[in-house]
């Protein structure tokens, strides 16, 4: 099957709002445009980060089921949280001559050489979920949430809940990843307006429940643990691990310590209904339909926006019970 048309575009679209304009990129740049032959299946290589969280599981399921629904031949590679595995997978997709490559980069840096190889081979690359720190001409479109905004929403909710005063422990995501960097940044943007909201502890829990629990256990055993009034976790899984650690230490999560996290997975809603988690900022993992809309357009040589932002909103204890039956992940 021949390779798809490489288009690099400069528009920005927010899903949920009216879309923006699209525009074609300047000519040239190493792409070898060609459409899949009629009657042949579109072949897509997707490099996934791993299976670190409920969010990731839902994201993988959305991508796999959408590919199946559309009759796409999906070559799916799970990198087990390692950038080197993603680089190997992308190189293998290039060697196989897939029509389109899509990937969710585990960390921001280190992608330029392999994306240049894809571009030189004329294979368009679509970025899903996390942003890589590369020149924009190395990918066609980036589909995912605004992580800075998510961090800002979490901080705004917490500042209101705590009347502008709290000693906060922050459980950060995978070091060097876009969501960890941006969620930390967004949270601090808002805290700058609240001088008595203070981050007194910050440590990575790598987006997993087990590490979230481990970090919180150690914190609660330390002298610093007694001062903590609030926890900001960069995802629900780490918050759920921290909740377990608090309960084992005889602390009432959601009451003695106020907890805000990000993702909006079903288990977070259940924890809010049980009064153990206070707020979650939704980050929609169901990217499959957006991703394959873009893939099919790119394969047909149609234009796509350079950036597609999936809009988020927050839910707290006051809305969790009503929303729980509607949760899809
Ligand atoms: O990149 C999205 C983040 O990755 C989710 O918030 C987190 O749960 C996942 O591991």
């Amino acid at each position: 099957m021949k390779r798809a048309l490489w288009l690099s575009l400069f528009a920005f679209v927010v899903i949920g709002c009216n879309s923006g304009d699209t525009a074609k990129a300047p000519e040239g740049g190493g792409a070898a445009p060609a459409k899949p032959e009629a009657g042949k299946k579109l072949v897509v290589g997707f490099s996934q980060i791993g299976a670190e969280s409920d969010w990731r599981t839902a994201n993988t399921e959305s991508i796999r089921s959408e590919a199946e629904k559309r009759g796409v031949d999906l070559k799916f590679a799970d990198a087990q949280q390692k950038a080197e595995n993603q680089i190997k997978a992308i190189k293998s997709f290039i060697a196989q001559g897939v029509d389109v490559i899509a990937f969710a980069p585990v960390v921001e840096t280190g992608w330029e050489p392999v994306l240049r190889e894809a571009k030189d081979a004329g294979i368009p690359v679509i970025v899903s979920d996390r942003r890589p720190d590369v020149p924009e001409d190395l990918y066609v479109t980036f589909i995912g949430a605004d992580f800075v905004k998510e961090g800002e929403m979490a901080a705004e909710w917490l500042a209101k809940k705590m009347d502008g005063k709290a000693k906060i422990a922050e459980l950060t995501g995978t070091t060097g990843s876009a969501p960890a960097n941006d969620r930390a940044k967004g949270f601090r943007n808002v805290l700058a307006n609240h001088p008595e909201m203070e981050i007194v502890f910050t440590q990575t829990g790598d987006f997993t429940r087990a590490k979230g629990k481990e970090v919180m256990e150690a914190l609660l055993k330390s002298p610093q643990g007694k001062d903590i009034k609030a926890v900001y976790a960069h995802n629900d899984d780490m918050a759920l691990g921290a909740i377990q650690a608090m309960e084992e230490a005889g602390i009432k999560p959601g009451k003695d310590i106020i907890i805000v996290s990000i993702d909006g997975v079903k288990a977070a809603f259940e924890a809010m209904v049980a009064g153990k988690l206070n707020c979650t900022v939704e980050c929609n993992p169901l990217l499959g339909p957006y991703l394959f809309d873009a893939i099919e357009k790119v394969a047909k040589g149609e234009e796509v926006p350079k950036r597609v932002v999936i809009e988020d909103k927050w839910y707290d204890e006051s809305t969790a019970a009503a929303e729980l039956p509607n949760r899809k992940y």
Side-chain angles (χ1 to χ4, degrees):
M1 194 175 283
K2 289 180 192 163
R3 285 173 190 141
L5 177 63
W6 181 290
L7 291 172
S8 178
L9 302 158
F10 303 105
F12 184 94
V13 169
V14 178
I15 298 294
C17 301
N18 291 329
S19 64
D21 296 331
T22 59
K24 274 192 183 176
E27 296 286 318
K35 294 177 191 177
E37 285 161 28
K40 286 215 173 164
K41 271 190 171 186
L42 187 64
V43 183
V44 176
F46 186 85
S47 166
Q48 179 61 291
I49 291 170
E52 73 280 6
S53 62
D54 285 3
W55 189 100
R56 188 66 52 198
T57 304
N59 180 247
T60 292
E61 168 53 25
S62 170
I63 290 162
R64 282 191 187 278
S65 62
E66 199 62 27
E68 203 181 324
K69 200 155 83 185
R70 298 185 190 216
V72 171
D73 179 358
L74 180 68
K75 301 188 180 305
F76 184 93
D78 177 337
Q80 301 184 329
Q81 302 266 63
K82 291 196 172 80
E84 61 264 35
N85 290 346
Q86 292 200 281
I87 290 169
K88 270 187 214 150
I90 294 170
K91 281 177 184 281
S92 149
F93 297 148
I94 297 169
Q96 292 171 65
V98 301
D99 297 302
V100 180
I101 292 172
F103 85 125
V106 59
V107 290
E108 288 196 51
T109 55
W111 305 104
E112 192 165 338
V114 75
L115 295 191
R116 262 192 209 291
E117 280 179 42
K119 187 169 185 181
D120 290 345
I123 304 177
V125 172
I126 293 183
V127 176
S128 172
D129 167 31
R130 298 184 185 179
R131 181 200 63 235
D133 184 11
V134 294
E136 284 198 352
D137 67 305
L138 293 182
Y139 60 88
V140 183
T141 181
F142 165 33
I143 301 165
D146 180 343
F147 297 136
V148 174
K149 203 166 156 197
E150 290 172 349
E152 288 172 348
M153 280 193 270
E156 272 156 15
W157 183 90
L158 189 63
K160 201 165 170 206
K161 177 82 177 174
M162 306 304 292
D163 288 328
K165 189 173 178 179
K167 291 206 187 304
I168 306 161
E170 180 188 36
L171 300 178
T172 64
T174 302
T175 305
S177 70
N181 292 341
D182 291 355
R183 288 171 184 171
K185 184 174 174 218
F187 197 77
R188 284 160 178 78
N189 287 347
V190 171
L191 254 51
N193 305 321
H194 298 278
E196 292 186 87
M197 296 282 290
E198 207 190 334
I199 300 171
V200 294
F201 173 90
T202 181
Q203 197 168 313
T204 184
D206 211 11
F207 282 132
T208 70
R209 217 173 274 207
K211 285 198 185 152
K213 180 170 188 257
E214 198 180 296
V215 172
M216 187 51 56
E217 266 167 4
L219 174 60
L220 293 175
K221 279 181 195 150
S222 75
Q224 206 180 9
K226 289 182 206 68
D227 298 335
I228 302 299
K229 293 288 175 256
V231 165
Y232 166 45
H234 287 191
N235 81 343
D236 289 339
D237 280 78
M238 293 188 293
L240 294 165
I243 287 170
Q244 278 177 25
M246 288 177 203
E247 288 183 317
E248 286 172 18
I251 291 166
K252 288 196 188 82
K255 294 185 179 62
D256 299 336
I257 297 179
I258 300 300
I259 309 165
V260 57
S261 58
I262 295 175
D263 275 357
V265 299
K266 209 176 257 174
F269 278 80
E270 286 161 357
M272 284 195 289
V273 171
K276 297 177 182 184
L277 177 73
N278 304 91
C279 176
T280 183
V281 177
E282 183 180 58
C283 177
N284 186 354
L286 307 180
L287 301 183
Y290 307 115
L291 188 64
F292 284 94
D293 278 354
I295 287 170
E296 285 178 348
K297 280 188 177 159
V298 167
K300 283 189 222 146
E302 293 174 13
E303 295 183 350
V304 291
K306 193 77 196 179
R307 173 78 168 106
V308 178
V309 181
I310 313 297
E311 266 194 307
D312 302 314
K313 58 181 176 180
W314 56 264
Y315 297 88
D316 69 5
E317 308 123 305
S318 64
T319 49
E323 178 60 16
L324 181 56
N326 306 326
R327 300 313 292 171
K328 294 196 177 68
Y329 55 91

